């Protein structure tokens, strides 16, 4: 009855709440025009309007610049006390922050804007701001608040008879209903939106709602109907020449084929979507499509390729500073590592992959918590629960899965409920609680059958053929004209070709003789270069294999030393001596961990300090039997790769500082936090370890202890500055000025 082959994935359909479409050329042209006008205008109110419009155009490529410009507009509106300008500027800033992914700031500015609009009784602006507040709540997974905001906006727009905005409100409500699992009501609302867009003859609105209706039919399991709407949206987008909508339709069609198991077509369509986005410079969409390709390769069992796409997408989302995308890709990376671990042949490889999965899931979960995105939180909790079950930690697994289930039930997240029930069935089966296993498995089956329905491959093929035929027919006239023009041109050239035939043949023979001689010479050179290249590559591979083997043996030898210390510790009766042996084991483990990373990672000379510090902290907490609810470990580590000669002493210093905090900062079961940060600032490396414990007055560490002697010795070796602060706990600060690092 095992369900653990299923994983939580975050698939990105391109549903559209707001529709922005500018070519990079026309956008830059408009931006230049606005900036010229800003330089010559003397009116403060006009300057505020221009600044906000400039920010709007900057938002797509540089949201931070848009925010800077938006704040200038807001400060100017405050200076001249222009109430209408204050409302507009707050609204624009909310939009800029939402586009950046900072939903907390976006909500704050939208709320301020709404209060100003309300005070002025500006009904049109109130409706627009409520719509955008709904978008913020929806992005956070707060669907009750999103629905209320959209309905309040709809009420206003009905009163003022703004059909274009009513269409947008109905569309947004439909997408909320879809997220809550009420698919029929979602379809009703989206069809209302579609009718209003038709009445307004708004082709852009029609195209996007056809696309969104397709998403609903896909969620209902009616794939043929979904494709029908996607192809209608695609044809309309192509007729208008709107590349972004064409890309959206390709992406969603590709996802349908993924659901059908037709991975070749899925990859083809989503790759076409990706190509359009790359050409258009839509960086956020590029990251989304890379993530979707990763999901397809993961389902195909090609996890190395899946991880390559996920990591590329994660890198793009990080550069875009999009926390939503970052969290999504961390979760998908974790799933891929879990799948690889299930296939691993050795226990060592399996443990290493599970550690990678745990690290990435924790990154995803912590970010989802900061975002307040409930659907991501539920998804990450389910994933962590499944992972802990795989690791044999069934109590922890059950705790995480029950939390996920509680959130999913409250918010109506059907897919997450299904996963949580399935994973709980696995947990109870493993603990031999067969009654609960059976109950949860029944719930899983009910939800699975309600989400996925029978597929219709023949109808899908027919629709695709019909679309291709319609498209070909619409281009037939143009193609025929092109053929006629080519035929006329060939007739005109025929006489000229006859006259020059003799000279052409002579010239070709001459070139051919030269080409033969050149080809023989080049072939010899190529063979020689290939031989040299093969020798060089073989030598490099041998060197890499040797380095990995050295790191592997060093790690194994250190583990043997650790085991010997453990055996010796069991024979010792003196408590103080036992503690000294345990601390020595921890020091040995901190060094072994480095060689383990070097052996298993692609970087043979550098250590990923983010992963290393996380692993070291987890190991020490486990060694001292620290419960999660007693001392909370917090980390803030830059993406830094350090040379082994720096990483080993730094790891031993960290080992001593963390050990001191766990031993002395929280006596008698006192609760608290331990915070570790590692930052690169002004070409210096700054390590901070801070606790909020009892402080130095009760801290029993002494300057003459072996641990402190180690710290001082390594401080001198690294040429570091070392300070201890005693305020609301103890904070140790290391500053290293000369060190070797490389960026990932």
């Amino acid at each position: 009855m095992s369900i653990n082959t299923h994983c939580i994935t975050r698939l990105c359909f391109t549903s559209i709440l707001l529709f922005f479409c500018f070519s990079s050329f026309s956008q830059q042209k408009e931006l230049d025009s606005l900036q010229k006008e800003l330089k010559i205008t003397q009116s403060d109110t006009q300057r505020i309007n221009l600044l906000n419009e400039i920010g709007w155009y900057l938002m797509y490529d540089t949201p931070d610049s848009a925010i800077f410009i938006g704040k200038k507009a807001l400060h100017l509106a405050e200076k001249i006390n222009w109430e209408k300008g204050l409302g507009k500027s707050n609204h624009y800033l909310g939009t800029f922050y939402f586009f950046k992914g900072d939903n907390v700031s976006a909500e704050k500015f939208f709320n301020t804007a709404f209060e100003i609009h309300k005070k002025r009784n500006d009904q049109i602006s109130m409706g627009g701001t409520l719509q955008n507040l709904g978008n913020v709540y929806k992005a956070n997974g707060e669907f009750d608040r999103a629905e209320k905001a959209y309905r309040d906006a709809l009420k206003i727009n009905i009163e003022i008879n703004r059909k274009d905005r009513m269409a947008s409100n109905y569309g947004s409500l439909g997408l909320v209903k879809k997220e809550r699992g009420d698919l029929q009501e979602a379809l009703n609302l989206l069809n209302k939106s579609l009718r209003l867009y038709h009445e307004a003859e708004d082709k852009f609105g029609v195209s996007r709602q056809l696309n969104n209706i397709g998403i609903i039919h896909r969620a209902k399991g009616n794939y043929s109907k979904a494709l029908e709407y996607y192809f209608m949206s695609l044809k309309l987008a192509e007729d208008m020449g709107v590349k972004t909508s064409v890309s959206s339709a390709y992406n969603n069609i590709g996802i349908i084929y993924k659901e059908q198991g037709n991975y070749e077509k899925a990859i083809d369509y989503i790759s076409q979507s990706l190509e359009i986005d790359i050409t258009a410079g839509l960086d956020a969409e590029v990251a989304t499509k890379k993530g979707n390709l990763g999901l397809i390769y993961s389902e195909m069992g090609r996890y190395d390729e899946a991880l390559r796409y996920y990591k590329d997408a994660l890198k793009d989302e990080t550069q875009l500073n999009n926390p939503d995308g970052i969290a999504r890709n961390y979760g998908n990376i974790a799933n891929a590592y879990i799948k690889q671990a299930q296939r691993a042949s050795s226990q060592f490889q399996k443990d290493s992959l599970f550690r990678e999965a745990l690290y990435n899931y924790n990154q995803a979960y912590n970010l989802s918590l900061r975002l307040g995105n409930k659907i991501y939180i539920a998804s990450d909790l389910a994933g962590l629960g499944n992972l802990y079950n795989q690791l044999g930690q069934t109590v922890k697994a059950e705790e995480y899965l029950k939390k996920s289930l509680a959130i999913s039930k409250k918010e109506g997240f059907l897919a997450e409920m299904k996963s949580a029930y399935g994973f709980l069935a696995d947990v109870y089966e493993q603990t031999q609680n067969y009654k609960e296993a059976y109950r949860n498995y029944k719930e899983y089956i009910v939800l699975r059958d309600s989400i996925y329905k029978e597929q219709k491959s023949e109808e899908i093929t027919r629709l695709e053929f019909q679309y291709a035929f319609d498209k070909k027919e619409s281009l037939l006239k143009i193609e025929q004209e092109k053929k006629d023009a080519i035929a006329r041109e060939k007739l005109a050239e025929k006489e000229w070709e006859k006259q020059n035939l003799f000279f052409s043949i002579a010239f070709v023979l001459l070139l051919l003789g030269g080409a033969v001689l050149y080809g023989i010479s080049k072939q010899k050179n190529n063979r020689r270069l290939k031989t040299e290249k093969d020798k060089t590559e073989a030598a490099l591979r041998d060197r890499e294999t040797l380095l990995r083997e050295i790191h592997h043996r060093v790690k194994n030898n250190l583990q043997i030393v650790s085991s010997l210390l453990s055996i010796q510790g069991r024979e010792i009766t003196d408590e103080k001596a036992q503690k000294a042996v345990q601390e020595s084991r921890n020091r040995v483990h901190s060094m072994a961990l480095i060689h383990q990373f070097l052996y298993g990672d692609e970087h043979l000379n550098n250590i990923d300090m983010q992963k290393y510090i996380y692993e070291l902290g987890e190991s020490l907490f486990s060694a001292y039997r620290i419960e999660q609810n007693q001392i909370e470990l917090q980390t803030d580590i830059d993406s830094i790769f350090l040379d082994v000669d720096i990483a080993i002493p730094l790891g031993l210093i960290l080992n001593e500082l963390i050990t001191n905090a766990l031993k002395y900062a929280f006596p008698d079961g006192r609760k608290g936090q331990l915070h570790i940060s590692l930052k690169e600032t002004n070409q210096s490396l700054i390590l901070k370890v801070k606790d909020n414990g009892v402080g130095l007055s009760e801290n029993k560490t002494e300057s003459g202890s072996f641990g402190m002697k180690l710290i001082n010795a390594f401080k001198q070796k690294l040429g570091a500055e070392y300070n201890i602060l005693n305020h609301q706990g103890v904070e140790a600060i290391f500053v290293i000025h000369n060190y070797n690092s490389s960026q990932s």
Side-chain angles (χ1 to χ4, degrees):
M1 192 175 67
S2 176
I3 318 296
N4 62 23
T5 55
H6 296 272
C7 62
I8 312 293
T9 55
R10 294 167 175 178
L11 191 66
C12 283
F13 283 88
T14 315
S15 60
I16 311 163
L17 283 173
L18 300 174
F19 193 80
F20 307 124
C21 178
F22 300 98
S23 71
S24 58
F25 173 75
S26 62
Q27 183 176 345
Q28 187 59 49
K29 188 176 178 182
E30 183 66 24
L31 183 58
D32 291 342
S33 174
L34 290 169
Q35 288 172 334
K36 285 178 183 176
E37 193 176 346
L38 180 65
K39 288 179 181 178
I40 60 175
T41 187
Q42 299 297 316
S43 166
D44 284 337
T45 55
Q46 184 63 10
R47 287 180 65 81
I48 291 166
N49 289 333
L50 287 168
L51 285 166
N52 282 323
E53 287 186 54
I54 289 168
W56 180 267
Y57 283 98
L58 290 172
M59 173 178 72
Y60 298 94
D61 295 322
T62 53
D64 286 326
S65 298
I67 289 166
F68 176 78
I69 295 292
K71 285 182 177 178
K72 285 182 71 173
L74 181 60
H75 292 326
L76 184 55
E78 289 171 343
K79 182 180 177 182
I80 66 173
N81 196 28
W82 183 33
E83 198 167 41
K84 182 178 180 180
L86 286 168
K88 289 178 71 174
S89 297
N90 275 285
H91 183 99
Y92 271 102
L93 273 168
T95 305
F96 301 156
Y97 275 110
F98 180 62
F99 200 89
K100 182 183 177 183
D102 185 350
N103 293 346
V104 174
S105 297
E107 183 180 351
K108 183 186 78 171
F109 282 104
F110 281 139
N111 277 321
T112 303
F114 180 76
E115 292 303 320
I116 295 169
H117 298 327
K118 186 177 179 182
K119 183 180 176 183
R120 296 181 61 251
N121 195 30
D122 184 348
Q123 296 286 306
I124 293 175
S125 298
M126 285 168 65
T129 301
L130 283 167
Q131 170 72 21
N132 284 340
L133 269 170
N135 294 342
V136 173
Y137 298 142
K138 181 177 180 295
N140 288 338
E142 299 176 89
F143 298 126
D144 286 339
R145 296 180 74 190
E147 184 172 349
K148 184 180 185 306
Y150 291 143
R151 290 199 180 279
D152 288 345
L154 178 62
K155 184 179 178 182
I156 290 171
N157 290 322
I158 289 172
E159 288 174 2
I160 61 177
N161 197 30
R162 284 294 300 266
K163 289 190 176 182
D164 56 336
R165 293 197 172 187
M166 289 160 57
S168 180
N169 300 148
Y170 281 125
S172 299
L173 282 166
L175 292 174
V176 168
K177 289 295 184 183
K178 179 255 179 186
E179 295 294 341
R180 303 300 299 269
D182 191 347
L183 300 181
Q184 190 54 51
E185 181 61 16
L187 199 56
N188 294 339
L189 289 163
L190 287 169
N191 277 317
K192 279 186 181 180
S193 174
L194 182 62
R195 282 196 297 273
L196 286 168
Y197 279 128
H198 272 301
E199 288 175 17
E201 297 183 347
D202 182 346
K203 289 184 179 180
F204 293 122
V206 170
S207 177
R208 73 175 179 265
Q209 293 309 7
L210 287 170
N211 179 75
N212 291 339
I213 290 170
I215 291 174
I216 303 301
H217 283 300
R218 178 264 163 194
K220 293 179 76 173
N222 194 341
Y223 295 144
S224 61
K225 202 73 174 173
L227 271 182
E228 183 181 341
Y229 278 93
Y230 289 153
F231 281 128
M232 284 193 288
S233 176
L234 175 58
K235 192 171 188 305
L236 189 56
E238 286 183 331
D239 289 343
M240 292 186 295
V242 182
K243 291 291 186 182
T244 49
S245 292
V246 172
S247 171
S248 174
Y250 277 148
N251 177 69
N252 292 345
I253 291 167
I255 290 170
I256 291 290
Y257 283 119
K258 170 194 166 293
E259 299 290 354
Q260 289 282 337
N262 193 337
Y263 298 122
E264 187 176 332
K265 282 192 174 181
I267 290 169
D268 179 52
Y269 273 100
I270 296 178
S271 294
Q272 288 184 67
S273 174
L274 176 61
E275 188 176 335
I276 291 170
D277 295 336
I278 290 170
T279 304
L282 301 173
D283 294 338
E285 291 300 317
V286 168
T288 295
K289 307 306 161 51
K290 285 179 181 177
N292 284 349
L293 285 168
L295 290 169
I296 295 169
Y297 282 112
S298 182
E299 285 203 7
M300 294 171 74
R302 292 158 64 174
Y303 301 118
D304 288 338
E305 288 167 279
L307 282 167
R308 179 167 62 82
Y309 275 106
Y310 288 150
K311 288 178 179 179
D312 275 355
L314 178 61
K315 184 179 177 182
D316 291 348
E317 299 286 16
T318 303
Q319 288 174 347
L320 291 164
N321 194 26
N322 177 19
D324 182 271
I326 295 168
R328 179 173 64 247
N329 282 291
Y330 270 128
N332 286 338
I333 288 169
N335 284 324
Y337 279 127
I338 290 174
K339 291 293 188 182
Q340 282 189 324
Q342 290 168 347
R343 283 185 173 184
S345 55
S346 70
Q347 190 61 43
F348 170 79
Q349 189 182 15
K350 185 174 289 191
D351 291 344
S352 178
L353 290 166
F354 275 139
R355 279 196 301 272
E356 290 283 359
L358 187 59
Y359 168 78
N360 282 281
Y361 251 137
N362 276 310
Q363 293 288 97
Y365 178 55
N366 290 332
L367 190 51
S368 298
L369 284 174
R370 288 202 294 273
L371 285 170
N373 189 317
K374 293 182 181 179
I375 196 165
Y376 279 10
I377 292 169
S379 175
D380 293 330
L381 284 167
L384 280 164
N386 174 43
L387 179 54
Y388 281 120
N389 187 43
Q390 305 264 348
L391 292 167
Q393 300 180 37
T394 52
V395 174
K396 208 167 189 177
E398 184 181 6
E399 175 192 344
Y400 276 87
L401 290 167
K402 283 183 174 179
K403 285 180 182 177
S404 173
L405 190 58
I407 294 169
S408 301
K409 281 183 174 179
K410 183 179 178 182
E411 301 297 329
F413 302 150
L414 297 183
E416 286 66 30
M417 285 170 62
K418 173 180 76 74
S419 297
Y421 277 125
F423 292 145
L424 275 168
D426 283 344
V427 171
Y428 290 126
E429 184 180 25
Q430 191 162 320
T431 56
Q432 298 183 354
N433 187 346
Y434 297 115
K435 182 179 178 181
E436 282 299 305
Y438 177 69
R439 186 181 69 80
N440 281 275
Y441 184 68
K442 276 202 329 185
E443 296 287 354
Y444 165 81
I445 292 297
V446 168
L447 282 165
R448 185 196 66 186
D449 291 346
S450 71
I451 294 171
Y452 299 106
K453 296 187 178 178
E454 187 175 347
Q455 306 169 347
K456 299 181 179 180
S457 297
E458 295 81 7
E459 183 67 14
I460 290 172
T461 304
R462 184 192 67 77
L463 282 165
E464 186 185 24
F465 177 81
Q466 185 64 46
Y467 165 73
F469 177 81
D470 289 344
K471 184 176 179 182
K472 185 176 179 181
E473 188 177 39
S474 69
L475 295 172
L476 190 59
K477 187 177 179 181
I478 296 170
E479 288 296 327
Q480 188 59 47
E481 288 174 358
K482 191 186 293 183
K483 287 177 183 177
D484 291 341
I486 291 168
R488 285 193 298 271
E489 188 178 347
K490 284 182 178 178
L491 285 171
E493 291 175 353
K494 197 170 184 180
E495 284 299 317
W496 184 88
E497 288 175 356
K498 286 179 180 178
Q499 293 172 7
N500 291 280
L501 182 60
F502 173 79
F503 297 104
S504 298
I505 292 171
F507 184 64
V508 167
L509 288 171
L510 184 64
L511 284 176
L512 187 61
V516 169
L517 291 172
Y518 173 74
I520 293 169
S521 174
K522 187 176 179 181
Q523 195 173 27
K524 287 180 180 178
N525 283 333
N526 285 344
R527 281 199 297 267
R528 179 177 58 80
L529 288 171
K530 186 177 185 303
T531 302
E532 291 176 1
K533 183 184 175 184
D534 290 344
K535 287 180 180 178
T536 304
E537 288 179 349
L540 286 172
R541 285 195 298 271
D542 290 344
R543 178 181 175 275
E544 184 175 316
T545 302
L546 180 60
L547 277 172
R548 289 189 188 280
E549 184 60 26
I550 289 169
H551 288 308
H552 192 199
R553 292 188 182 188
V554 171
K555 186 263 299 181
N556 287 344
N557 288 338
L558 287 169
Q559 285 183 337
I560 291 168
V561 172
S562 178
S563 299
L564 290 171
L565 286 169
S566 176
I567 293 167
Q568 185 181 10
R570 288 198 292 268
E571 300 297 322
I572 296 172
T573 56
D574 182 71
E575 186 178 346
K576 188 175 180 181
Q578 276 187 336
K579 287 181 179 179
V581 169
Q582 179 58 45
E583 288 173 7
S584 296
R585 283 193 70 203
N586 293 341
R587 293 176 186 122
V588 169
H589 179 72
S590 75
M591 292 186 287
L593 199 56
I594 284 177
H595 289 283
Q596 179 176 308
F597 274 113
L598 290 170
Y599 168 71
D601 201 70
E602 59 184 303
H603 303 282
L604 284 170
N605 298 314
N606 298 296
I607 301 298
D608 183 345
M609 295 307 291
Q610 272 189 341
K611 292 183 181 179
Y612 173 69
I613 292 172
Y614 175 82
E615 289 278 351
L616 181 61
E618 289 283 309
S619 172
L620 289 170
F621 269 61
S622 175
Y624 285 99
R625 293 181 172 82
I626 303 297
E627 295 294 331
Q628 191 176 14
N629 60 0
Q630 181 190 347
I631 302 173
E632 180 186 358
L633 177 62
Q634 301 172 341
T635 58
D636 184 12
I637 315 297
D638 281 353
S639 181
I640 300 170
F641 286 73
L642 292 181
D643 186 89
V644 181
D645 292 338
I646 299 292
I648 288 178
L650 197 64
L652 287 165
I653 288 169
L654 260 173
N655 182 84
E656 299 306 318
L657 294 174
I658 296 170
T659 297
N660 279 343
L662 297 181
K663 285 171 63 178
Y664 304 121
F666 307 102
D668 303 321
R670 176 173 174 157
K671 294 185 177 182
Q673 291 93 35
L674 178 62
H675 184 84
I676 304 170
S677 76
L678 184 66
K679 299 283 181 184
E680 281 187 307
T681 308
N682 297 327
Q683 296 184 333
S684 294
L685 195 64
I686 301 174
L687 171 68
K688 294 181 181 180
V689 180
K690 176 175 173 55
D691 64 67
N692 63 347
V694 297
L696 282 175
S697 59
E698 296 181 36
N699 197 315
K700 297 179 182 179
T701 58
E702 300 174 1
S703 60
S705 70
F706 181 69
M708 292 305 294
K709 286 178 180 176
L710 268 180
I711 290 173
N712 286 321
F714 287 127
K715 180 193 80 170
Q716 292 177 1
K717 175 180 171 59
L718 297 172
E721 299 173 14
Y722 175 41
N723 291 295
I724 296 180
L725 304 179
N726 185 27
H727 176 67
Q728 296 180 348
V730 176
E731 181 176 15
I733 305 172
F734 270 84
V735 181
I736 304 169
H737 297 295
N738 297 313
Y739 63 97
N740 295 323
S741 73
S742 65
Q743 295 304 315
S744 61

